Amino acid sequence: MKFGYFDDRNKEYVITTPQTPLPWINYLGSEDFFSLVSNTAGGYSFYRDARMRRLTRYRYNNSPLDMDGHRIYIKDGDTVWNPGWQPTKTPLDSYSCRHGLGYTVVEGKKDGVTARQELFVPKGDACELDRVTVCNESAAVKELDLFSYVEFCLWDAVDDSSNFQRNYSTGEVEVEGSVIYHKTEYRERRNHYAVFWANCPVDSFDTTRDAFCGVYGGPADPQAVRAGHCSGSIAHGWAPVGALHIHLTLAPGESRSILFGLGYIENPQEEKFIAPGVINKTRAHAMMARYATDAQIDAARIALRTHWEELLSTYHLESGEEKLNRMVNIWHQYQCMVTFNMSRSASYYESGTGRGMGFRDSCQDLLGFVHIIPSRARERILDIAATQFEDGSAYHQYQPLTKKGNRDVGSGFNDDPLWLIAGTAAYLRETGDWSILEEQVPFDNDAAKAQPLMEHLRRSFNFTCTHLGPHGLPLIGRADWNDCLNLNCFSEHPGESFQITGPSEGPVAESVFIAGMFVKYGHEYAELCDHLNLTEEAAAARKHIDAVEQAVLTAGWDGAWFRRAYDAFGNPIGSKECAEGQIFIEPQGMCVMAGIGRETGQAAQALASVEERLDTKYGVVLLQPAYTGYQLNLGEISSYPPGYKENAGIFCHNNPWISCAEATLGHGDRAFAVYRKTCPAYIEDISEIHRTEPYVYSQMVAGKDAPTFGEAKNSWLTGTAAWTFFNISQYILGIQPTLDGLKVDPCIPHTLSGFTVTRRFRGAVYHITVDNAAGVQHGVKAVTVDGKAICGNVLPLAAAGTEVTVQVTMG
Ligand code: BGC
């Protein structure tokens, strides 16, 4: 069943009922100011850091769901309704929600009145704009009361939801005409306030929640809305809110647009006040003046659209497959951008208060994002590298506001260092900007310990070399990619973190997955050495890589697939010798991508085992058989009921690894079949089973052992975004940036007769047409560039500013 449809021309998903199986959300903003907005206009806003600079409150585990948001109420006689249905849930005569690129439009109609709420964050400004257009489509004059409402968060979202003895006394506001300034803690150490305004005179306002909602009213039935006016309340402690009310008299056919804005303002310390206790509003006035008229707001909308069109034009596909075009040209890249911005911090499943930016997550996000805005990728690489320790290990997470490593979680995740090589090498392949390797980057955020970025990569590589276990495989530490395989944890007490309980360095637990990574990204490191003429270093690196590869082919091989790990007692995990968890997905994908066992046939055999044992109609599950009980030596993975999360769920992130691995073996049919199974546009029809948004990936889908097989959770922020785009654009469609230029090496289903990709690369535009009249899955027979045949399939670098036409014949 569907709850909407794709509108590809406008690059939107259109939701046609507010009662989607779960709230379906969108992200506004891509620089400093961000808002999450659901299909009913629920959600919240923050400046840079969803924990430390939260502007509005959101209650995650509330019932009913999604009550807090960017709320518009309309009172028409005795009827009160919201254009997005929530929170009053008054039945609407019609409803739609259009989630587009950086904007959302929610429209409701009731008793002859249409209200359209258009939300977006303009480029270059720290505010959200909500333009509300109300139209009287009835034959009679309408007397309407329009209310806009937000509930402020007292900035630090954790403190806000826990430290009530203090924060019930700190809330402060100022009101000036149609503008409410939320200035809690501005009197002391904060230099920022929020501003909530309307671009026209208001008839009344409230700034206390008790006055607007009523102590027991809540947003579903606010007493001020019922009364038809606010009471001019001024918050002193308790819960400050912003509520603005405008009375509208609309003749038949008449409409009126009003802008409500929510902005973030920072003042220099010495300019905080203009009089004792009176905040300096100059910057707020300037911000509001930028969006005073409809023409200004329209211009900001157009600028946002142009920005997105420009970004997405870097990679554009035309193929006979409508769903594929839609995903590649719009939604894959859009999700990559959002995931790059947010890492795993703020979604409807990530509260924004826990995890900051993940080291490994952010490095992988680069793979899908780097072609979109390389300059931001560059900045991100340097930020991430600055949280590395001198021995090459790294903080597992860092806070976006301070860019400092998170000491509570610390380090010890032994895959982390290698992901820095992966992200940096991808940046170099895309841009050819070798100067990045010379940038001085601190270790442990300490400028005194700065070294060139290349030295960081060297220490990443060496970290694995110096942390090998008894089988010559890398030690796993706290965990590798799979945060839930905690072989050194041994946690027996509820409430302990599986990730940081126990020693970070067990003496023997080893990871075959990290070994696969070391072979893959170690080779990428050696190539960088080659390029820098570090010949001896490259040769030495390759010796280490060969040794680890041998260890994988022997101790890491189980007979028909790659083992997953060795536990703290030296016993294999992911082996036919185990009662449960005999085969895992991760090492099959990573080792085959690394080329391990390609010549010996082990790679093909491993993938055949995946198809036989792990594949399902909704995707490839993480392991089989699922763990049925908690096992002390395995940790969190065995804490989940069978079929959920890492315990045999379909963890979408590593499905593309299998697809990439199939492509490296030339299996185009199978690579595409794996891609399709979890791809949102291809499973839109089962939205009632899948439940999360049909336009983006979720972190996981319940596996075949789960009672809710096929149900997804944790949408939006997942490494799946980057890996899927990386897979479809580079492995399947085969347009691959390399250090030497753009390589074309498609591996497609034999039924796809061809396609065209327009790719911007290092300043030039390549129009690449691939002809597969031969009906093969892999293999390039001939390539011409501007009509001239070339040798091989790496395109000569075209000068920046030029356009070239490339014809590729498969066969
Ligand atoms: C984390 C990733 C991790 C994955 C598998 C995600 O929630 O963000 O870092 O690789 O889970 O455990």
Side-chain angles (χ1 to χ4, degrees), residues 344 355 360-361 481-484 646 651 653 699:
R344 307 297 172 269
R355 309 202 275 178
R360 80 157 78 90
D361 293 335
W481 169 85
N482 189 332
D483 269 331
C484 301
E646 284 86 339
F651 217 84
H653 186 146
Q699 180 206 52

Side-chain angles (χ1 to χ4, degrees), residues 503-541:
S504 67
E505 278 308 319
V508 296
E510 297 165 285
S511 163
V512 177
F513 174 77
I514 301 182
M517 278 188 79
F518 181 72
V519 174
K520 178 164 172 49
Y521 298 118
H523 277 301
E524 294 187 7
Y525 176 71
E527 279 176 29
L528 303 188
C529 293
D530 290 339
H531 190 96
L532 298 173
N533 289 324
L534 299 169
T535 319
E536 278 172 30
E537 187 175 349

Side-chain angles (χ1 to χ4, degrees), residues 106 214 318 335 341 436 510 624 724 782:
V106 177
E318 287 302 328
Q335 189 175 4
N341 284 330
I436 194 174
E510 297 165 285
Q624 278 295 294
T724 297

Side-chain angles (χ1 to χ4, degrees), residues 314-389:
T314 309
Y315 194 111
H316 183 86
L317 168 72
E318 287 302 328
S319 75
E321 280 272 316
E322 186 191 33
K323 292 175 181 164
L324 181 62
N325 294 347
R326 164 184 303 154
M327 289 310 301
V328 170
N329 296 335
I330 308 169
W331 297 100
H332 282 331
Q333 299 198 64
Y334 186 51
Q335 189 175 4
C336 281
M337 175 86 168
V338 168
T339 309
F340 174 84
N341 284 330
M342 296 287 126
S343 189
R344 307 297 172 269
S345 71
S347 72
Y348 262 33
Y349 308 86
E350 304 278 7
S351 66
T353 62
R355 309 202 275 178
M357 314 287 284
F359 190 98
R360 80 157 78 90
D361 293 335
S362 295
C363 287
Q364 287 172 89
D365 293 345
L366 284 163
L367 302 178
F369 174 81
V370 61
H371 69 292
I372 304 181
I373 313 181
S375 58
R376 287 194 61 199
R378 187 183 209 274
E379 184 191 347
R380 177 68 56 83
I381 290 169
L382 301 178
D383 288 347
I384 299 170
T387 65
Q388 191 177 24
F389 291 104

Side-chain angles (χ1 to χ4, degrees), residues 344 350 355 358 360-361 364 396 415-416 419 480-485 499 586 622 645-646 651 653-654 657 699 714 717-719:
R344 307 297 172 269
E350 304 278 7
R355 309 202 275 178
R360 80 157 78 90
D361 293 335
Q364 287 172 89
H396 196 47
D415 61 320
D416 276 337
W419 291 117
D480 55 22
W481 169 85
N482 189 332
D483 269 331
C484 301
L485 188 61
Q499 273 75 51
E586 303 101 306
L622 195 143
K645 297 274 285 179
E646 284 86 339
F651 217 84
H653 186 146
N654 42 36
W657 294 348
Q699 180 206 52
N714 308 352
L717 304 184
T718 160

Side-chain angles (χ1 to χ4, degrees), residues 244-257:
L244 297 171
H245 158 232
I246 294 157
H247 182 81
L248 299 173
T249 304
L250 293 181
E254 189 182 353
S255 72
R256 172 106 187 259
S257 275

